[in-house]
Amino acid sequence: MKNLFDLTGKVAIVTGSSRGIGKASAEALAAHGAKVVISSRKQEACDEVAAAINAEHGDGTAIAIAASISDKAALERLVVETRAAFGRIDILVCNAASNPYYGPLAGIEDDQFRKILDNNVLSNHWLIQQVAPEMCERKDGAIIIVSSIGGLRGSPVIGAYNVSKAADFQLARNYAVEYGPDNVRVNCIAPGLIRTDFARALWEDPEREKQTNRSTPLRRIGEPHEIAGAVVYLASPAAAFMTGQAMVIDGGVTI
């Protein structure tokens, strides 16, 4: 039982891992023994995170491969270069996402809506398609999609983003059904408001943060490392019988 969270020998790709939830997740996976691939749009930012992880856990623990989630060819290269460096992929964390529009759905432009769906849903589908076959062949693998509690409710401000995050729940459920017979698990995490650059517009206003805290049972917003533990859990033997689910981590907001 003491090795429930041991990831020694495992290789993980984490998208959007140069900062925020993705960075914290990559750091936590490395701390539990995994080799990690740091990926986001900018190579320099990825290099910095990988260097810090290697400094703490030893050279070769992390590598940096920049890739835009909107570019299918770049994601294919991400997978190919990961295999070239580490020989395998055991864990995929689909964390990167975008939200170029704030406002009611009635006002969103088609290209903005398509970008949200492409980056938040289709890119996850692309990556899963690329890494799942080897996982199925080995009869072992863990795929984790970072969704949002936004996928559980409506919003007059981030409705299109919420639509995409609801789709991620179903993407996980469907792939869980398809890959379950080969012991490949697919789950979602649904964070509430977390103190990241991505969500800065939702928390940097002190008055708005106070209002949010008043409606949150734990009376605060979350921190990136408080999501990283769930990533480790879902990637580890501790979650061996869990698939197709959505873990809500929101300080109690949705209750």
Side-chain angles (χ1 to χ4, degrees), residues 36-39 43 45-51 62-66 78 81:
V36 294
V37 179
I38 307 302
S39 186
Q43 185 67 44
C46 295
D47 288 338
E48 289 178 6
V49 175
I63 61 172
I65 305 173
L78 168 63
E81 291 186 10

Side-chain angles (χ1 to χ4, degrees), residues 20 55 66 92 97 105 125 131 149 153 157 171 173 189 204 206 211 228 239:
L92 171 65
L105 274 175
H125 166 68
V131 305
I149 61 168
R153 57 189 189 174
V157 178
L171 192 69
R173 285 189 287 261
I189 294 173
E204 66 179 349
Q211 182 179 353

Side-chain angles (χ1 to χ4, degrees), residues 7 15 36 62 67 103-104 128 142 149 158 161 172 230 233 236:
L7 297 173
T15 66
V36 294
I128 292 168
I149 61 168
I158 55 170
Y161 176 81
Y233 166 71
S236 74

Side-chain angles (χ1 to χ4, degrees), residues 184-219:
V184 176
R185 301 176 296 103
V186 189
N187 290 288
C188 276
I189 294 173
L193 182 57
I194 306 298
R195 197 182 306 276
T196 64
D197 287 343
F198 182 83
R200 183 175 296 277
L202 301 176
W203 59 261
E204 66 179 349
D205 177 358
E207 284 305 313
R208 188 167 189 170
E209 184 176 352
K210 286 180 183 178
Q211 182 179 353
T212 299
N213 291 346
R214 281 195 295 268
S215 62
T216 304
L218 289 183
R219 293 296 188 266

Side-chain angles (χ1 to χ4, degrees), residues 49-197:
V49 175
I53 290 174
N54 287 330
E56 182 170 356
H57 299 290
D59 288 343
T61 300
I63 61 172
I65 305 173
S68 170
I69 55 172
S70 63
D71 184 342
K72 187 175 185 179
L75 295 180
E76 290 171 348
R77 191 186 75 252
L78 168 63
V79 171
V80 168
E81 291 186 10
T82 298
R83 291 195 183 111
F86 290 135
R88 58 191 289 148
I89 299 165
D90 303 281
I91 301 159
L92 171 65
V93 182
C94 296
N95 168 70
S98 68
N99 183 37
Y101 175 79
Y102 288 86
L105 274 175
I108 194 170
E109 298 291 338
D110 287 351
D111 62 338
Q112 292 173 314
F113 209 159
R114 288 192 184 98
K115 182 175 182 179
I116 290 170
L117 295 176
D118 284 353
N119 287 356
N120 299 0
V121 185
L122 187 60
S123 68
N124 296 339
H125 166 68
W126 285 339
L127 276 169
I128 292 168
Q129 276 190 321
Q130 292 170 46
V131 305
E134 69 170 276
M135 295 179 176
C136 291
E137 187 175 348
R138 284 196 305 270
K139 305 297 183 186
D140 185 45
I143 296 168
I144 302 153
I145 300 172
V146 179
S147 181
S148 167
I149 61 168
L152 300 170
R153 57 189 189 174
S155 167
V157 178
I158 55 170
Y161 176 81
N162 288 0
V163 168
S164 73
K165 291 304 184 177
D168 278 335
F169 292 144
Q170 185 57 30
L171 192 69
R173 285 189 287 261
N174 221 80
Y175 270 130
V177 169
E178 294 184 24
Y179 295 143
D182 290 316
N183 194 40
V184 176
R185 301 176 296 103
V186 189
N187 290 288
C188 276
I189 294 173
L193 182 57
I194 306 298
R195 197 182 306 276
T196 64
D197 287 343

